[in-house]
Amino acid sequence: MKELLHILDQVPEFQQLLDALDAGRSPAAVSGLSPVHRAHFAAGIRRHWDCPVVMVCADEEEGRRLAADLTAFTGEEVTLLAAREFLFHDSAVASRQWEHRRLALMEKLAAGRLPFLVATVEGLLQRTLPPEALERACTVLAVGQTADLEELTAHLTEAGYVRCEQVEGPGQFALRGGILDVYSPAMEAPVRAEFFGDEVERVSLIDSTSGRVRERLGSYTFFPAKQYVAAPEKRAAALKAIRAELEDRVGWFEKHGRLLEAQRLKLRTDYDLELIEELGFCKGIENYSRHLSGRLPGSSPSTLLDFFPKDSLTLIDESHVAVPQLGGMYEGDRSRKNILVEHGFRLPSALDNRPLKFHEFMERQNQIVYASATPGPFELVNCRADNKTYIPVRRAARSG
C-alpha cells in the first residue's frame, strides 16, 4: 500500500492542504474523508512534509485502526499511545508495561527516531518526565570508558531498574563479577557491558534467554525505567516540602473539626513519604510530582508534546469529537481530584498532577490539521485564512 501515497499527488484537495501548510496557514481542515482516507492523507503529509507527525484520536479502538492503516501506508510500524488507567483514588500499582511502552516512546522521540505517533487524547495529555530530567536520568556506557560499578548500580536503581539474578524483562539489571546486563524499556533485548576493572571492554546486545551476543555496540545510553525519577538532592527538598504542606493541611482540617480527614491524610502521606525515602517510589507517586519535579504551584506539567521538535505537525482525527475531549480533560481531572483533596485522600498539590489545559495544548502546537467527516463549530471558525491563533467557541447547551 506504500505505492498508493503517490496517487495523492493527483488529488487537488491534498495539494491544496500541502500548499496551505507550506504557506504556514494553520490550522487547516479536511472534511468528508473516511478513516482510511484520513490515514492516507496523514501518511502523504508525512512523505511530502518531512517532519514528525502526531495523530490525535478520540479513543483506543479508533487509534488502533489508524495505527494499522498508517503502518500499511508507510511501510513502517506506527505505535499507538493509549492512556494509563487509574482507579478512583489512585491506589493501584502503575502498570509497568504501560510505563515501559511510554518510556520507549520518549526515548525514540528524544533521539529523533519516531517520525509518526498515534495517541489518544488522554494518553497525549497525561503528565510525563520532562526532557531535561530524562536526559539527567540516563546512563551512558561506551567502550574504553571508566565507571565505578557500585555507583553505576546505585544510579540504575535510582532510575527505576530492579536488580535480579538474570534479566528476563524490561526494567531489570543483573551484575555478576564484571558483567553488567541491563534490559532497557527502549530495547527489545538486554545490553551487556563487560568490565575489566573499572574500564568498559565491550558493549553488546544479547539474547535474554541464551545470553549469546547478537550485536556488538560501541556504546549505549540507558534510559530510566520509570517516569518519576528525582535526584537524591531534589528528593530531599521534595520530602521537606511535602511534610510542610502536610502539616499545614492537617492543621486546617483540625481547625475546622474534621479530625477523620486529618488522620486519614496524615497516615497515608506519612506512609508514602517513608516509602519514597527508603525505596524512591510509592503507589500514587505521581500525586507528588509537583514537589518531586520542583514545579511552581499551578504551572503546566510536561507531556509527550514537549518531546516533539518545533516543526512537528498535529493532525486531530475526528476533530468534532477529539477537540471537546481536549477541552474537557483538565476539567474532568480537576473535578475528581477536588473530591480526593476535600476528603483528605490527597494533599492539595495533587491538583497539579493534571493534564494540560486546552490553551496550554494549543500553545504547544506548530501546525494543526483538523480531520473530520463532520467538522464542528470550533474547526470551522478557527480555520479561517486570517486566523493566527485559536478562537474559543462556546458549545451550545443541550435543550431538554
Side-chain angles (χ1 to χ4, degrees), residues 112-127:
R113 294 188 289 106
L114 194 67
F116 228 129
L117 174 66
V118 176
T120 63
V121 169
E122 190 175 359
L124 187 66
L125 297 191
Q126 283 179 341
R127 182 200 170 274

Side-chain angles (χ1 to χ4, degrees), residues 75-315:
E76 301 175 3
E77 184 180 0
V78 176
T79 306
L80 166 65
L81 174 66
R84 172 185 168 187
E85 295 183 358
F86 295 97
L87 292 187
F88 178 68
H89 51 76
D90 286 355
S91 63
V93 178
S95 165
R96 292 190 68 85
Q97 289 184 345
W98 178 91
E99 191 166 29
H100 290 161
R101 284 197 300 271
R102 194 174 182 92
L103 286 163
L105 290 176
M106 291 162 60
E107 189 271 339
K108 291 178 180 177
L109 281 170
R113 294 188 289 106
L114 194 67
F116 228 129
L117 174 66
V118 176
T120 63
V121 169
E122 190 175 359
L124 187 66
L125 297 191
Q126 283 179 341
R127 182 200 170 274
T128 195
L129 195 66
E132 59 274 12
L134 180 71
E135 186 177 353
R136 287 196 303 268
C138 290
T139 302
V140 181
L141 288 179
V143 175
Q145 174 187 340
T146 58
D148 184 277
L149 277 172
E150 188 173 333
E151 292 180 2
L152 186 57
T153 54
H155 187 75
L156 288 171
T157 302
E158 288 284 342
Y161 287 89
V162 178
R163 186 167 183 172
C164 56
E165 293 298 321
Q166 180 178 345
V167 292
E168 296 177 348
Q172 298 178 347
F173 78 94
L175 178 63
R176 299 180 302 281
I179 299 177
L180 175 67
D181 294 342
V182 184
Y183 206 142
S184 170
M187 295 293 287
E188 297 179 356
V191 172
R192 171 171 293 171
E194 299 177 53
F195 288 78
F196 182 76
D198 288 341
E199 183 179 345
V200 180
E201 277 196 320
R202 282 184 294 271
V203 179
S204 312
L205 188 68
I206 65 170
D207 185 273
S208 58
T209 305
S210 65
R212 293 179 179 175
V213 174
R214 293 170 53 178
E215 183 182 351
R216 294 292 185 190
L217 307 172
S219 64
Y220 188 75
T221 301
F222 298 100
F223 278 69
K226 64 181 180 182
Q227 291 192 82
Y228 299 95
V229 178
E233 60 274 11
K234 274 197 170 185
R235 189 189 302 169
L239 291 172
K240 183 178 179 181
I242 294 169
R243 288 192 174 99
E245 185 185 10
L246 173 63
E247 183 179 352
D248 180 70
R249 186 63 174 170
V250 168
W252 186 90
F253 277 133
E254 291 175 344
K255 180 181 177 180
H256 290 80
R258 300 177 63 178
L259 301 183
L260 176 62
E261 286 85 351
Q263 183 186 34
R264 177 188 293 144
L265 183 63
K266 181 167 176 55
L267 288 175
R268 181 180 189 130
T269 309
D270 281 343
Y271 178 68
D272 287 348
L273 291 175
E274 184 178 345
L275 288 175
I276 294 173
E277 200 164 19
E278 295 296 325
L279 304 176
F281 192 81
C282 73
K283 296 178 182 179
I285 191 173
E286 60 273 1
N287 292 290
Y288 304 107
S289 60
R290 194 192 81 195
H291 294 297
L292 291 170
S293 60
R295 289 189 291 125
L296 295 174
S299 59
S300 61
S302 293
T303 67
L304 279 182
L305 290 172
D306 296 309
F307 286 82
F308 279 87
K310 299 297 183 183
D311 65 343
S312 62
L313 180 142
T314 301
L315 195 152

